[in-house]
Amino acid sequence: MDSKKLTLSSGAPYFEHQDSQTVGPRGPVLLQDFILQENLAHFVRERIPERIVHAKGSGAYGTFTVTHDISKYTKAKLFSKVGNSCRMFARFSTVGGEKGSADTARDPRGFALKFYTEDGNWDLVGNNTPVFFIKDAKKFPDFIHTQKRVPKTNLKSATMMWDFWSLNPESLHQVLILMSDRGTPHGYRHMHGFGSHTFSMINANNERVWVKFHFKTKQGIKNFNNEEAVKMAGENPDFAQEDLCNAIENGDFPKWTLYIQVMTEEQAKDFRWNPFDVTKVWFQNDFPLIEVGEMELNEVPVNYFAHVEQSTFSPSNLINGISFSPDKMLQGRLFSYPDAHRYRVGVNAHQLEVNRCPFATNNYQRDGFMADSSEYADKPNYHPNSFDDIKPDPSYKGYDYELDSAHVAFYNRNENDDDHYTQPGLLYTKAMNTEDRERLVHNIVGSMKGIDGPKRDEIINRQLCHFFRANIELGMKVASQLNINIDSNMMNHIK
């Protein structure tokens, strides 16, 4: 077989790859050695800004197959009949850690999916938890700052985290999940995934229902306890990446079953909580899981940077028949996610292989950094025009609906919606067994012992009040192990 010639990025072959051009064998390097310049200049630009959140992650390609008929809920072509399938890409990640942090850190896990459908790419960008810490995107930068590093010391801070959580009781539901062993999953294959937000589906009759997406792992739930997670962080900080790659390379393809929950618009009006509040769940006894299909991951990307690091996901990437909801966190993400990718990867990130729609992209976006004109060439860059054959298809017309109110204001997110304790209490008493509850308390106490500074007692007591309101036993156990004396004044304050 003929060998390939070594070339510059321009394609010109060259020979001198090992030695710089110098004046004499020990002389200075010449500026005219442009090959040296090209290689060094490219090398120092090999990285792009890491994600602010979800920086450390793993990815794989696979297939999604429809196994059950849900066409009565959605006109999405993907779900039009049983047996339909599409290629997909999944990226799993931690949330707060940097690119080199440990896979086993106590943290929620990102669960981002890209479905390459004939109607465009559909991104479902969620977590391994059905809820989140906050219910309004305006609070997101503040929340993430508390999960990162203190500006002065550049160290993580339990004080900062618990101060924020104790001042925002809406976080309690997610905090209890995070502090349980579900906060340290045994790699990515052994955890569930959730769209978390409420979305909508619209059928062929232009009827809308509200939906939640659940991906249940077929490998079974498996978690580290806190001590195991800490130990593994030191032994193999890339444990989850290695576990996923090894499984796929060995033919042990990980799989998840997709289910949806469905709520009608009438049911939403009578629901006990705001159905668009991402800090709450819909009880499965009231809104049972409906099986939809199966996701299988079966291909490790050939180049991590090109595919996993440059992959971009946004909940604004929706397809006909699936749409958004009034969820305030979701509404904020519709802007912030694509904006983050335009900054981090570039305005033409959608042209990269991992992000590109493999069927067709016909629009009038042009130019910008790293533009690839192979699709649009010399076609007009304006609409309407007399030269191309691109026409808007009326069958994809958006869903028309009436809003409940025409009054614009800055509504208090918790007004008439301030029950932050019932669902966390039920999570503790109903969803967790005795061992789960013991580990939860152990993990909470271990984390809260890191609270320090002049506001330590104030922060601890404020958070204890939230635990007591969710469940007296939970509050008492945490207080006891933190050596906090509970007096009648505190109990009266809780009531």
Side-chain angles (χ1 to χ4, degrees):
M1 185 175 68
D2 293 337
S3 60
K4 297 179 180 178
K5 294 183 177 66
L6 178 65
T7 74
L8 297 169
S9 58
S10 63
Y14 73 96
F15 176 76
E16 296 293 352
H17 187 74
Q18 300 295 322
D19 302 301
S20 299
Q21 189 178 43
T22 61
V23 181
R26 296 185 179 182
V29 176
L30 292 177
L31 183 62
Q32 71 183 28
D33 189 348
F34 61 91
I35 297 172
L36 169 67
Q37 294 178 41
E38 178 177 296
N39 286 336
L40 290 181
H42 190 279
F43 175 72
V44 299
R45 291 166 175 81
E46 282 184 356
R47 298 294 174 263
I48 58 178
E50 73 174 32
R51 291 167 167 86
I52 300 298
V53 289
H54 301 282
K56 178 72 180 296
S58 304
Y61 285 99
T63 303
F64 176 78
T65 304
V66 177
T67 58
H68 292 71
D69 183 11
I70 60 165
S71 58
K72 67 178 180 180
Y73 299 121
T74 177
K75 57 187 174 184
K77 288 182 180 178
L78 175 61
F79 300 113
S80 61
K81 67 177 182 179
V82 173
N84 279 0
S85 66
C86 70
R87 193 168 188 248
M88 61 170 301
F89 181 76
R91 184 178 186 271
F92 310 116
S93 57
T94 53
V95 175
E98 297 88 0
K99 188 108 171 33
S101 57
D103 286 347
T104 57
R106 183 169 301 281
D107 210 359
R109 299 301 190 272
F111 199 99
L113 309 176
K114 186 181 295 291
F115 301 84
Y116 303 102
T117 87
E118 61 182 302
D119 262 351
N121 292 348
W122 170 39
D123 291 355
L124 187 62
V125 194
N127 288 319
N128 70 326
T129 59
V131 296
F132 196 60
F133 296 94
I134 52 175
K135 61 173 80 173
D136 192 314
K138 211 169 194 179
K139 299 175 66 59
F140 191 74
D142 294 309
F143 164 65
I144 292 300
H145 286 163
T146 71
Q147 307 301 298
K148 292 291 188 177
R149 296 179 179 272
V150 176
K152 179 179 179 181
T153 64
N154 198 42
L155 297 172
K156 293 291 187 79
S157 168
T159 304
M160 193 161 60
M161 287 193 306
W162 286 102
D163 187 36
F164 182 88
W165 289 338
S166 67
L167 288 166
N168 290 274
E170 69 199 70
S171 68
L172 184 61
H173 199 173
Q174 177 77 315
V175 167
L176 293 191
I177 295 174
L178 175 65
M179 288 295 152
S180 75
D181 284 352
R182 291 169 66 181
T184 50
H186 191 277
Y188 298 129
R189 296 184 300 127
H190 295 281
M191 66 184 193
H192 295 329
F194 303 87
S196 300
H197 299 290
T198 299
F199 293 87
S200 59
M201 282 185 167
I202 299 148
N203 65 16
N205 298 321
N206 218 32
E207 299 164 331
R208 181 176 64 178
V209 292
W210 305 115
V211 298
K212 283 185 177 288
F213 296 97
H214 301 245
F215 283 82
K216 300 289 187 179
T217 176
K218 301 188 79 167
Q219 290 68 242
I221 290 289
K222 187 177 180 182
N223 299 313
F224 288 112
N225 63 36
N226 190 68
E227 289 69 28
E228 291 168 339
V230 171
K231 185 172 182 288
M232 183 57 73
E235 293 178 354
N236 183 3
D238 300 318
F239 170 82
Q241 167 79 3
E242 184 176 60
D243 178 72
L244 179 66
C245 290
N246 285 349
I248 295 174
E249 294 290 349
N250 293 332
D252 184 16
F253 302 140
K255 299 177 181 179
W256 287 259
T257 302
L258 170 61
Y259 300 86
I260 59 171
Q261 286 179 290
V262 175
M263 180 186 290
T264 66
E265 294 191 357
E266 287 303 312
Q267 288 173 318
K269 293 176 182 177
D270 298 327
F271 191 51
R272 176 176 176 180
W273 294 282
N274 176 0
F276 313 114
D277 179 352
V278 75
T279 68
K280 307 291 193 302
V281 298
W282 302 353
F283 296 139
Q284 293 179 21
N285 287 339
D286 300 323
F287 304 95
L289 297 179
I290 300 169
E291 189 168 347
V292 179
E294 181 179 271
M295 171 179 107
E296 175 188 274
L297 299 182
N298 49 36
E299 179 187 342
V300 177
V302 295
N303 183 285
Y304 180 91
F305 179 84
H307 295 260
V308 183
E309 187 66 14
Q310 291 194 129
S311 62
T312 63
F313 300 86
S314 173
S316 60
N317 290 340
L318 297 166
I319 55 175
N320 192 38
I322 302 175
S323 192
F324 45 80
S325 79
D327 182 330
K328 292 182 179 180
M329 273 296 294
L330 173 60
Q331 293 278 325
R333 294 176 78 204
L334 296 176
F335 163 76
S336 66
Y337 273 59
D339 185 56
H341 303 319
R342 283 187 287 266
Y343 161 73
R344 192 179 68 88
V345 187
V347 71
N348 288 306
H350 60 282
Q351 294 179 358
L352 298 173
E353 179 182 0
V354 65
N355 303 317
R356 186 168 60 236
C357 174
F359 296 95
T361 303
N362 299 310
N363 59 37
Y364 299 93
Q365 297 173 3
R366 296 290 187 270
D367 307 334
F369 288 109
M370 305 298 289
D372 178 359
S373 69
S374 57
E375 288 294 320
Y376 55 79
D378 62 348
K379 294 177 182 177
N381 62 351
Y382 62 94
H383 178 84
N385 66 76
S386 305
F387 306 100
D388 66 28
D389 57 356
I390 300 174
K391 297 290 186 291
D393 186 340
S395 67
Y396 290 88
K397 187 176 183 295
Y399 177 77
D400 297 336
Y401 59 97
E402 298 290 334
L403 295 175
D404 293 335
S405 172
H407 183 72
V408 175
F410 292 96
Y411 292 96
N412 183 333
R413 68 191 184 284
N414 291 318
E415 186 173 352
N416 301 318
D417 189 26
D418 60 354
D419 179 4
H420 308 306
Y421 306 107
T422 298
Q423 289 201 3
L426 291 172
L427 173 69
Y428 182 79
T429 59
K430 302 294 185 182
M432 295 182 177
N433 59 33
T434 301
E435 183 179 355
D436 293 334
R437 290 191 282 269
E438 289 176 354
R439 291 197 180 280
L440 172 67
V441 171
H442 172 74
N443 296 336
I444 289 173
V445 171
S447 178
M448 292 187 71
K449 282 182 177 178
I451 301 173
D452 58 15
K455 297 288 185 177
R456 177 182 181 275
D457 292 345
E458 178 183 333
I459 294 170
I460 289 176
N461 289 331
R462 189 164 57 222
Q463 185 63 42
L464 283 174
C465 288
H466 300 319
F467 290 145
F468 275 112
R469 289 187 176 105
N471 183 271
I472 294 293
E473 176 188 287
L474 171 62
M476 290 300 295
K477 287 186 173 181
V478 173
S480 173
Q481 294 187 34
L482 285 173
N483 297 317
I484 303 295
N485 293 320
I486 305 302
D487 57 28
S488 57
N489 290 331
M490 175 179 283
M491 297 305 294
N492 289 333
H493 176 67
I494 292 169
K495 295 174 183 177

